[in-house]
Amino acid sequence: MGGEICGGRMGSGFCVGLRNSWRNMERGLNEAVSKSRVGEYFKLEARKSCFTRELRAGTATFLTMAYIISVNATILSDSGGPCSAGDCTVPGAPGCTLKPDPGYESCLGRTKKDLVVATILSSMIGSLAMGLLANLPLALAPGMGPNAYLAYNLVGYHGSGPLSYQTALAVVLIEGCAFLAIAALGLRTKLARLIPRPVRLACAAGIGLFIAFVGLQVHQGVGLVGPDPATLVTVTACATTNPETGQCIGGKMRSPTFWLGSVGFLVISYGLIKNVKGSMIYGIVLVTVISWFRGTAVTYFPHTALGDERFKYFKKLVGFHKIKSTAGAVSFANFNRTEVWVALVTLLYVDVLGITATLYTMAELGGFVDDQGSFEGEYSAYMVDAGSTIVGSVLGVSPIATFVESSAGIREGGRTGLTAVIVGLYFLASLFFTPLLSSVPPWAIGPSLVMVGVLMMKVVRDINWEDLKEGVPAFVTILLMPLTYSIADGIIGGIGIYVALSSYDIVKGLVGWLMKMRKMVVKEQNQVSASAGTEAEATREMI
């Protein structure tokens, strides 16, 4: 019927008229907004943009980065958050946090809900501030990399690391304050240049491999790899696993959730190949919706006490969750430890380097960079980023970063802070869907983590592999991060190798300088001696 209407002469005229009416209405709306105080504040006409274009840009950016809501909450909840052995069914029972314990898992469920809200709030505040204060079309959210570093290196899986969740948040708070001071004093670029170039480039790839490795594991992702007493890691995806160790008990490559997650990964991959906006969201949603059906082999709501509790909360569908445990959990107890200062330097380095690179890349993509290499709103952007990290630490999440996914909005024509404000409003709307966002299973998150690793590997093409002085430190940095399960160890190892390989050139240059100075001294001494000899000869002739 619709095809006949649009295909006929009358239908064609109707469609054209409808399209013209829509265009006229859109043009009128854009003109009204551009001439209003809102348009003047965001400089819509000066940057040759309009309201509907900014709306499309904000929508595209949000769709491409909305995955961070559930992904970040899942990663940070793996640390256990504020949950401890005291929350177990038998409070204080040895090892209860690393075993399936109803009491502890119930606490983890509450913590994940808190972290979903904390992620949304920090993203909303950061994006709104970026749009209102810096007037740039850049969206902010907890960064991938720092969140994994906090969860798996600092706090450790279910609190098995060197620092408590509360102390780790204090580290993030101090790091945010330090970054704010650095941004205010204009020292950001100088600090970023202190890190050797090959190590800087390799960091993104190493962090990408680290994140992908997390997404492949049993507890945190699709479950393709697991522990092995002989080879440390091996292929699992087992039908049954040891709930305490994650080791395969039987049926390798027979896990229904792994195969479902693999389908999600293919959906994400195909969508990105075809440049479909929101591909990660589509993959996550597909796997998640299938996992919501009870009574299946892949359900997230099995008929157990924990599954029943999850399903009861899920059935609310829409609801506002108040943060109860993660907000204000910052603690400076046991702060004077080596691990604290290593973590502080690592997070500060990743923030300074990562945010500098992202901001300049996005600014160049949007055509904001001038001949001097700066852009309007640059100073405010760094201040907003640092301030958002401070806000995030108080809410209970890892450092906030400018998202590369902002490029989706820029490609849609976003040129002002109105794009970022619209993204912030989308995050605000997400606050009322916490029951749904808290019910995303790990095997739906794992594929997106692997894809993040794929996307972060792009930087290796900029490394000069022909020059082993650059190639070796870069390779060591990339290799150590996933194999040592530590981003900090990768950075330290890469810098150490670079300094060691550069020591020959340093010593050679120092020896050459000393030899040159020695020759100059000897030459001056000879000249002085010759001058003294000439004067003595002249004196004797006079006598």
Side-chain angles (χ1 to χ4, degrees):
M1 185 78 176
E4 293 176 1
I5 292 176
C6 290
R9 185 175 298 175
M10 183 181 298
S12 178
F14 173 77
C15 291
V16 171
L18 186 63
R19 185 164 58 248
N20 290 336
S21 298
W22 170 256
R23 287 178 178 174
N24 290 333
M25 185 174 64
E26 183 180 1
R27 189 180 299 111
L29 175 63
N30 287 332
E31 289 179 358
V33 174
S34 296
K35 295 178 181 179
S36 67
R37 291 184 179 180
V38 173
E40 292 176 358
Y41 181 83
F42 289 107
K43 302 179 180 178
L44 289 175
E45 290 185 346
R47 296 190 183 180
K48 299 179 181 179
S49 186
C50 60
F51 173 73
T52 54
R53 187 179 298 168
E54 298 291 316
L55 178 61
R56 288 195 300 270
T59 303
T61 298
F62 179 77
L63 285 175
T64 55
M65 67 178 291
Y67 70 90
I68 194 61
I69 297 173
S70 54
V71 170
N72 187 64
T74 299
I75 290 176
L76 292 181
S77 62
D78 277 342
S79 70
C83 300
S84 65
D87 296 296
C88 294
T89 305
V90 180
C96 67
T97 60
L98 300 176
K99 302 176 183 178
D101 184 279
Y104 187 74
E105 289 181 353
S106 177
C107 180
L108 288 180
R110 295 191 298 271
T111 298
K112 185 175 180 180
K113 296 169 191 174
D114 285 353
L115 290 171
V116 165
V117 176
T119 300
I120 293 173
L121 282 175
S122 57
S123 304
M124 179 191 74
I125 293 170
S127 298
L128 288 174
M130 182 65 77
L132 294 172
L133 301 179
N135 197 19
L136 291 171
L138 307 177
L140 282 73
M144 293 295 291
N147 56 1
Y149 177 66
L150 185 148
Y152 304 121
N153 293 156
L154 300 185
V155 184
Y157 182 69
H158 288 186
S160 58
L163 302 180
S164 68
Y165 172 74
Q166 292 84 349
T167 303
L169 290 181
V171 173
V172 175
L173 176 62
I174 297 299
E175 183 269 330
C177 293
F179 187 37
L180 185 66
I182 289 169
L185 296 174
L187 301 176
R188 168 194 43 77
T189 305
K190 294 180 181 178
L191 284 179
R193 289 174 180 170
L194 289 177
I195 307 298
R197 180 179 179 274
V199 178
R200 289 203 307 266
L201 295 173
C203 271
I207 292 172
L209 284 180
F210 178 83
I211 292 171
F213 185 49
V214 170
L216 292 174
Q217 292 181 51
V218 176
H219 295 295
Q220 300 98 331
V222 295
L224 178 61
V225 298
D228 184 87
T231 60
L232 299 182
V233 292
T234 187
V235 172
T236 53
C238 303
T240 54
T241 58
N242 186 319
E244 295 182 16
T245 65
Q247 284 183 282
C248 188
I249 297 176
K252 281 191 176 183
M253 299 301 293
R254 296 182 184 178
S255 168
T257 56
F258 163 72
W259 290 110
L260 178 59
S262 299
V263 172
F265 180 73
L266 291 176
V267 170
I268 293 172
S269 301
Y270 186 78
L272 291 174
I273 290 171
K274 296 299 182 180
N275 293 318
V276 177
K277 295 178 178 64
S279 296
M280 288 219 191
I281 292 297
Y282 299 145
I284 293 174
V285 168
L286 173 65
V287 176
T288 300
V289 170
I290 295 175
S291 302
W292 281 345
F293 290 96
R294 304 196 82 176
T296 66
V298 295
T299 183
Y300 188 58
F301 308 117
H303 292 286
T304 61
L306 179 61
D308 291 340
E309 182 183 346
R310 289 174 177 170
F311 190 64
K312 181 180 179 181
Y313 183 66
F314 165 76
K315 287 191 296 184
K316 294 181 179 180
L317 297 180
V318 178
F320 180 81
H321 176 80
K322 183 179 179 181
I323 300 178
K324 299 175 182 177
S325 61
T326 61
V330 176
S331 173
F332 291 93
N334 302 318
F335 206 73
N336 191 22
R337 299 175 59 184
T338 303
E339 294 87 353
V340 168
W341 303 110
V342 172
L344 182 60
V345 172
T346 301
L347 286 175
L348 184 60
Y349 158 70
V350 172
D351 245 7
V352 170
L353 185 62
I355 292 168
T356 300
T358 302
L359 275 177
Y360 270 101
T361 301
M362 295 301 102
E364 288 177 357
L365 183 63
F368 304 133
V369 180
D370 58 25
D371 296 335
Q372 285 72 39
S374 59
F375 55 91
E376 185 180 356
E378 178 182 5
Y379 181 82
S380 298
Y382 286 111
M383 297 292 284
V384 166
D385 211 306
S388 299
T389 292
I390 295 173
V391 172
S393 67
V394 175
L395 291 172
V397 297
S398 50
I400 309 301
T402 301
F403 258 52
V404 178
E405 283 81 354
S406 300
S407 60
I410 293 175
R411 289 192 180 98
E412 283 292 321
R415 291 295 181 271
T416 74
L418 190 56
T419 295
V421 170
I422 291 169
V423 173
L425 294 178
Y426 276 125
F427 276 115
L428 175 62
S430 302
L431 278 174
F432 302 98
F433 296 94
T434 306
L436 296 178
L437 296 172
S438 299
S439 301
V440 180
W443 52 89
I445 300 299
S448 64
L449 296 182
V450 176
M451 185 52 68
V452 168
V454 173
L455 298 175
M456 293 181 74
M457 289 297 293
K458 294 178 182 179
V459 295
V460 297
R461 64 188 176 191
D462 298 324
I463 299 171
N464 184 10
W465 295 104
E466 298 296 328
D467 183 1
L468 290 183
K469 186 180 175 182
E470 286 196 14
V472 173
F475 180 75
V476 169
T477 302
I478 295 172
L479 186 68
L480 288 182
M481 285 188 183
L483 294 188
T484 62
Y485 220 67
S486 172
I487 295 172
D489 288 347
I491 295 173
I492 293 170
I495 293 176
I497 291 293
Y498 183 85
V499 171
L501 294 178
S502 301
S503 59
Y504 171 77
D505 294 333
I506 295 173
V507 172
K508 181 180 177 181
L510 181 61
V511 171
W513 181 79
L514 291 174
M515 292 295 293
K516 184 178 180 181
M517 293 299 296
R518 182 177 178 278
K519 288 180 180 179
M520 291 177 61
V521 171
V522 170
K523 184 178 180 180
E524 289 182 1
Q525 288 178 344
N526 291 336
Q527 289 177 349
V528 170
S529 299
S531 176
T534 302
E535 291 179 358
E537 185 67 25
T539 302
R540 283 196 296 270
E541 289 179 357
M542 290 177 62
I543 294 174

